[in-house]
Amino acid sequence: LFIVINNFISLQPIDNSCQYFPDKSEILCRRSQRTMFFNLTHFPRVRKFTATNSKIREIPWFTFLEYSQLIILDIRSNEIEFLYKESFYGLKNLKEIYLTSNRIKVLDDKLFYEISNLEDLNLSFNQIESIEPGLFFTIKKLRTLVLSGNRLNMTKDNVFIEMSNIERLRININLIENMEDRSFSGLFNLRELILSNNKIKLINKGLFSTLENIEILDLSTNSIEIIEKNLFVLNKKPVSYTHLT
């Protein structure tokens, strides 16, 4: 066995479920039994924090107040039911949040006020029933939003009105039946819209009219009965890929 001339980086233990890199820039926790969030007091320079497949139920107020350098927060596959409006307070440089596979039902309308530099937000496979206008007002740099696998039953007017930079929006595997006329207003740079596996029956002619750069539109596995003429010709530019089967 020859292992000379290598650059080994060993992970240091925090407790039975957590480890960190020597420079303390990344913390990795898996299958922890703790229900409260981790104490990061000794890791002010951490840039990536991962706590997956654990039993975390809440993120207390001001948990990340001293962690302005954090860029990636991955807390998927936990038992989180509610997020306080101050849960992400202080994360001014955060670019990615993964909250997939939790039990979140309600999103406070001020939840994202402190994370204006966010680019990727994944809230898939929770229990969210409604997205209200204004929720995403402060995260104007967002490029990817994933809401798949929730309990949304409709899309409301102007929910995405300030999100002109978003490129990928996935709302598939929900219970959506109705989409209001201005549901996608403001999404001028949207390239991919996934609405498959819902209960959509009718699509109003002007629903996609503001999607100037759309390339992929997936409406498969719905209950659509009527397709109006020229529905998928947006601003004289046909959609490059439309999936209806």
PDB file of all heavy atoms in Angstrom, residues 12 136 221 224:
ATOM      1  N   GLN A  12     -12.890  16.114  11.297  1.00  0.00           N
ATOM      2  CA  GLN A  12     -12.790  16.057  12.746  1.00  0.00           C
ATOM      3  C   GLN A  12     -14.176  15.903  13.362  1.00  0.00           C
ATOM      4  O   GLN A  12     -15.137  16.529  12.912  1.00  0.00           O
ATOM      5  CB  GLN A  12     -12.126  17.333  13.273  1.00  0.00           C
ATOM      6  CG  GLN A  12     -10.794  17.645  12.630  1.00  0.00           C
ATOM      7  CD  GLN A  12      -9.764  16.555  12.879  1.00  0.00           C
ATOM      8  OE1 GLN A  12      -9.612  16.098  13.999  1.00  0.00           O
ATOM      9  NE2 GLN A  12      -9.087  16.134  11.828  1.00  0.00           N
ATOM     10  N   PHE A 136     -41.617  36.100  -1.920  1.00  0.00           N
ATOM     11  CA  PHE A 136     -40.284  36.083  -2.528  1.00  0.00           C
ATOM     12  C   PHE A 136     -39.815  37.488  -2.933  1.00  0.00           C
ATOM     13  O   PHE A 136     -38.862  37.617  -3.704  1.00  0.00           O
ATOM     14  CB  PHE A 136     -40.299  35.175  -3.762  1.00  0.00           C
ATOM     15  CG  PHE A 136     -40.760  33.769  -3.483  1.00  0.00           C
ATOM     16  CD1 PHE A 136     -41.899  33.273  -4.101  1.00  0.00           C
ATOM     17  CD2 PHE A 136     -40.062  32.949  -2.610  1.00  0.00           C
ATOM     18  CE1 PHE A 136     -42.327  31.974  -3.859  1.00  0.00           C
ATOM     19  CE2 PHE A 136     -40.485  31.650  -2.359  1.00  0.00           C
ATOM     20  CZ  PHE A 136     -41.617  31.164  -2.986  1.00  0.00           C
ATOM     21  N   THR A 221     -49.240  14.726 -17.556  1.00  0.00           N
ATOM     22  CA  THR A 221     -49.954  14.080 -16.442  1.00  0.00           C
ATOM     23  C   THR A 221     -50.807  15.083 -15.681  1.00  0.00           C
ATOM     24  O   THR A 221     -50.687  15.262 -14.461  1.00  0.00           O
ATOM     25  CB  THR A 221     -48.974  13.349 -15.490  1.00  0.00           C
ATOM     26  OG1 THR A 221     -47.959  12.685 -16.234  1.00  0.00           O
ATOM     27  CG2 THR A 221     -49.725  12.330 -14.642  1.00  0.00           C
ATOM     28  N   ILE A 224     -55.936  18.212 -18.565  1.00  0.00           N
ATOM     29  CA  ILE A 224     -56.234  19.247 -19.555  1.00  0.00           C
ATOM     30  C   ILE A 224     -57.137  18.687 -20.663  1.00  0.00           C
ATOM     31  O   ILE A 224     -56.829  17.654 -21.250  1.00  0.00           O
ATOM     32  CB  ILE A 224     -54.939  19.813 -20.160  1.00  0.00           C
ATOM     33  CG1 ILE A 224     -54.061  20.402 -19.048  1.00  0.00           C
ATOM     34  CG2 ILE A 224     -55.251  20.869 -21.216  1.00  0.00           C
ATOM     35  CD1 ILE A 224     -52.678  20.787 -19.495  1.00  0.00           C
TER      36      ILE A 224
END
